[in-house]
Amino acid sequence: MSETGGKTVALIRGNAEYQEASLKPTPEIMKLWKKVHNDMRTEFGEAIFRSWLKPLTLQAFYHGTMEVSVPTRFMRDWIQNHYAERILAMCTVNSEDIRRLQIVVVQNSMVDDYADQKNETDSKANQNKKIDVSAISSPLDARFTFDTFVVGKPNALAHAAARRVVESVSIPFNPLFIYGGVGLGKTHLMHAIAHAIEDQWPEKTVMYLSAEKFMYQFVKALRSDAAMAFKEQFRSVDVLMIDDIQFIAGKESTQEEFFHTFNALVDQNKQIIISADKAPSDLTGVDERLRSRLAWGLVADIHPTTYELRLGILQAKRAQLNADVPDSVLEFLALKVTSNVRELEGALNRIVAHADVTKSPISLESTQEVLQDLLRAHDRRITIDEIQRKVAEHYNLRMTDMHSARRARNVARPRQVAMYLAKQLTARSLPEIGRKFGGRDHTTVMHAVRKVEELMNEDAAIAQDVDVIRRALTG
Ligand code: ADP
Ligand code: MG
């Protein structure tokens, strides 16, 4: 035990050496640490300082080693990987006596000894009394398994990562963060992981739910004074899966609660799996601390489908439905219905149902007839090229101005308008849009979108410009 900032702390790993006077830092070292700790604010910025570095506490000094502590293993690993080297450099410029920086985990003794040794007994205890999470967990769709998931280039990484999580005895990466557009198979993959873990590791408690449900449960618990029970329930699972995390954007107290749950589980070495419609860094309205933690494990994106994958999915679906669908029809659908897998499945279901009801065989002609409305909508799809052309025309610019690096206001503003419209009218992601505008970064696109939104609110002329161009494109 040692006194730090008025709080009694206990050492993880049974490190009783701090009691020895020879390890106590000298007043000079203490003073130096105080200065270095203070300087971190300017060196790393206020946000990083507050999220990560503020809790760093000097514990001991011996043989040139400066030993500092943090409250959790998660923080220790993060600081070790991201900031330790620079912190050491900041120490050594102040004193040549310091040669090494050791970061250890020291926990508040009030929190009990929930540390390394306890993790082991914890998992043993869990085996005996498996917690009932069914009241909170969402039901799994029996059709969403690995067997029915068709793997292709666009989803290969996410699929491989999902399998790793199931098959690894230890945790391969934490969290696994899967993201991609609507209807591309995120929920399917999440359910597949949950099914497979339940099959292979029946002793493990898996909690799967949407972020929306997480918030709902949290708010309900707060109202009924059951916040502690809520916390315990979430902290007691072996695998926590949250679908569509983008939902918590802008919901601060839910984020805060999720953040703590997340840290507690990572500290206990429990697997977390998250899905979202965008990358962690693009989750606007989500706290920076949380975003950086979400990106800490493996981030796997599911890309829009390719023709090959669509055809593969259709073939698998045809086999499942046991329906008589000619190859030419599958090829036609794979070519025409490009938006996402959900629509693709919907199209196939429709023509199969139609044939069933009318008792007529499926052909290319009947397909075109049944899917008339859907196909027309797809034919009218707007491209980024078209948007750029229309915007350039409207502002009397050349197409090349859309890609150029010129920053003059009369060029830059229309370019931002075009980026905004590309985001609004196409299903392209921010990085994809950036690439179409002379290889710009996705943050540039995001900035453009926000800027134009802002300008449209303030300036009627711009709002009208955008409206005219939009109507020319969609009309
Ligand atoms: P998301 O959660 O990304 O919006 P879903 O997982 O709900 O998408 O997928 C939409 C539909 O498409 C589901 O019926 C799912 O089974 C199907 N699907 C998506 N990707 C695949 C795939 N690779 N193989 C088979 N079916 C898929
Ligand atoms: Mg989903």
Side-chain angles (χ1 to χ4, degrees), residues 8-12 70-72 105-109 111-112 114-115 267:
T8 308
V9 292
L11 292 173
I12 283 182
V70 287
T72 68
V105 183
V106 176
Q107 279 234 326
N108 190 328
S109 66
V111 193
D112 205 357
Y114 113 159
D267 271 350

Side-chain angles (χ1 to χ4, degrees), residues 95-132:
S95 161
E96 287 178 353
D97 294 344
I98 301 170
R99 293 188 302 275
R100 246 164 58 85
L101 181 75
Q102 168 101 347
I103 306 172
V104 299
V105 183
V106 176
Q107 279 234 326
N108 190 328
S109 66
M110 304 297 281
V111 193
D112 205 357
D113 49 332
Y114 113 159
D116 296 38
Q117 339 102 295
K118 189 161 182 277
N119 284 341
E120 287 160 31
T121 47
D122 254 8
S123 54
K124 273 187 208 118
N126 280 354
Q127 281 170 17
N128 299 336
K129 58 168 179 71
K130 197 175 162 182
I131 313 108
D132 182 24

Side-chain angles (χ1 to χ4, degrees), residues 387-398 402:
I387 294 171
Q388 291 176 331
R389 215 173 307 121
K390 272 277 182 291
V391 171
E393 214 174 277
H394 183 93
Y395 289 100
N396 256 323
L397 299 171
R398 288 162 306 168
M402 292 288 139

Side-chain angles (χ1 to χ4, degrees), residues 144 148-151 155 181-189 309 313 341-342 345:
F144 291 178
T148 56
F149 191 82
V150 180
V151 186
N155 59 29
V182 165
L184 294 182
K186 302 181 297 292
T187 296
H188 188 138
L189 216 42
L309 179 60
I313 290 171
V341 184
R342 192 172 295 139
E345 280 186 341

Side-chain angles (χ1 to χ4, degrees), residues 32 43 54 91 136 142:
L32 179 147
E43 175 80 15
K54 199 166 168 224
C91 293
I136 293 183

Side-chain angles (χ1 to χ4, degrees), residues 13 15 18 22-40 56-70 76 79-80 84-105:
R13 289 178 297 180
N15 220 343
Y18 287 166
S22 64
L23 295 179
K24 290 248 164 73
T26 59
E28 295 86 75
I29 292 289
M30 282 201 244
K31 206 168 131 208
L32 179 147
W33 171 252
K34 210 168 169 186
K35 174 176 169 359
V36 168
H37 194 223
N38 245 324
D39 289 349
M40 289 178 199
L56 277 171
T57 308
L58 177 63
Q59 294 288 2
F61 184 71
Y62 48 86
H63 312 305
T65 298
M66 185 108 136
E67 189 160 308
V68 294
S69 70
V70 287
R76 178 195 62 194
I79 296 170
Q80 191 70 55
E85 220 167 283
R86 271 160 75 196
I87 296 173
L88 177 61
M90 290 167 76
C91 293
T92 48
V93 289
N94 281 289
S95 161
E96 287 178 353
D97 294 344
I98 301 170
R99 293 188 302 275
R100 246 164 58 85
L101 181 75
Q102 168 101 347
I103 306 172
V104 299
V105 183

